[in-house]
Amino acid sequence: MAETIYHGYLIKKSPYQTFDEIVIFLIASGKKIPCISMGSRKIDSKNARSLFVGSYLEIQIFQSRSEEKLSKLKKVTSIKALDWNYETLESFNLLNECVDKTNVAKKNTYEFYTRCLDFIVNNTYDEKTLMLIILRDFCRLSGINLEVNRCVRCGNNKIKTISLKDYGMLCNMCFDRQKDKLFDLETSKTIHYLFNDKIEELAKYQTEFNFVIKLLRIFIEDNVGIQLMTIKHY
């Protein structure tokens, strides 16, 4: 095995056998680097002191020559450590799950992660707002978006409701009571402000947040095929 050095974020770790872990790192290219961390579940493990999800690390690994075999982690050095307490936050766990499950191995993935992580660490918004922003940006990262400024069927800007199957808003003339689902106007406004990045206006509709989180979870599941277990209870 050849030794390789990367710099990246730890986005996931899972127990493996008795004392080992499977760890996944995200590097600047958007590529995810999975490897086995031998003995990092032992109390005296030096690597364990740095292996906190969300931390930015220098990663030394023995690169596997075969894609069928995991590379082995040799050493990690903390560059920007993140406290383990962040793992109690839904927004933080949602962000890491989104990146872990995406197949978009591009720089956009890395930018999505670092931008949203900054929001979380700096406490820029409340928890539910952060989750909505993460879900919105993950939709766009995955190649799905919503037209929220005009009717997707005729272009009229007088909006009545949203149609997730049509990827956007519907006006009164285009809305079909027999085929389309009528959502509350407040729900449509919440999605409108969210996808227009008008966070100050979005704050007026906090009673809708849980329902919109559920809608976006279903939207992602139906269109991307990814089940987000962090928010399955919404």
Side-chain angles (χ1 to χ4, degrees):
M1 290 185 174
E3 185 176 327
T4 308
I5 297 177
Y6 295 104
H7 291 87
Y9 290 91
L10 176 62
I11 62 166
K12 185 179 181 180
K13 60 178 182 177
S14 307
Y16 181 70
Q17 295 185 349
T18 306
F19 295 112
D20 308 332
E21 292 177 301
I22 304 297
V23 291
I24 301 177
F25 302 99
L26 176 71
I27 62 175
S29 66
K31 183 179 179 181
K32 288 177 285 187
I33 310 293
C35 55
I36 184 168
S37 176
M38 306 295 290
S40 57
R41 295 174 65 199
K42 294 180 179 179
I43 296 175
D44 59 350
S45 169
K46 293 181 180 179
N47 281 338
R49 300 168 192 171
S50 299
L51 287 174
F52 293 105
V53 175
S55 293
Y56 186 69
L57 308 164
E58 180 178 274
I59 311 141
Q60 297 180 42
I61 68 171
F62 292 115
Q63 191 81 46
S64 173
R65 292 189 177 91
S66 171
E67 292 185 0
E68 297 176 356
K69 294 183 178 180
L70 285 172
S71 299
K72 290 185 179 180
L73 181 66
K74 177 186 177 184
K75 180 182 178 182
V76 288
T77 304
S78 180
I79 298 173
K80 188 175 181 180
L82 203 65
D83 193 283
W84 67 268
N85 284 320
Y86 281 97
E87 294 185 41
T88 64
L89 299 177
E90 274 191 307
S91 59
F92 180 73
N93 291 322
L94 174 61
L95 174 62
N96 286 287
E97 183 182 8
C98 284
V99 174
D100 174 48
K101 290 184 174 179
T102 185
N103 292 320
V104 185
K106 296 180 180 179
K107 190 175 180 181
N108 289 350
T109 305
Y110 184 82
E111 292 172 347
F112 160 69
Y113 186 81
T114 54
R115 180 176 64 252
C116 291
L117 184 62
D118 281 346
F119 287 157
I120 294 170
V121 172
N122 294 322
N123 201 23
T124 308
Y125 305 106
D126 64 85
E127 265 290 274
K128 294 294 173 65
T129 300
L130 283 168
M131 292 169 71
L132 287 171
I133 291 171
I134 291 167
L135 289 170
R136 178 200 65 191
D137 290 354
F138 185 62
C139 284
R140 291 170 173 168
L141 177 69
S142 303
I144 55 175
N145 202 7
L146 292 170
E147 171 55 69
V148 295
N149 293 311
R150 58 189 63 84
C151 177
V152 291
R153 294 178 184 169
C154 73
N156 193 328
N157 60 6
K158 294 183 179 180
I159 301 304
K160 181 179 182 66
T161 189
I162 187 165
S163 172
L164 295 180
K165 67 179 180 180
D166 289 305
Y167 300 94
M169 300 295 182
L170 298 178
C171 68
N172 189 58
M173 296 296 292
C174 292
F175 175 72
D176 187 335
R177 292 186 179 275
Q178 306 262 331
K179 300 178 181 179
D180 300 316
K181 186 173 182 177
L182 180 63
F183 292 107
D184 290 341
L185 183 60
E186 287 75 14
T187 299
S188 297
K189 286 182 176 180
T190 303
I191 295 174
H192 168 82
Y193 289 126
L194 173 64
F195 278 79
N196 273 312
D197 203 27
K198 295 184 178 180
I199 306 303
E200 290 183 4
E201 294 294 330
L202 181 66
K204 300 175 183 177
Y205 299 93
Q206 292 190 11
T207 56
E208 300 295 316
F209 282 9
N210 283 1
F211 183 60
V212 174
I213 288 171
K214 177 182 177 180
L215 285 181
L216 293 179
R217 174 181 61 79
I218 294 170
F219 183 59
I220 290 168
E221 186 172 330
D222 289 345
N223 290 277
V224 188
I226 291 175
Q227 294 184 336
L228 297 171
M229 303 307 293
T230 303
I231 54 173
K232 66 179 181 179
H233 54 286
Y234 283 90

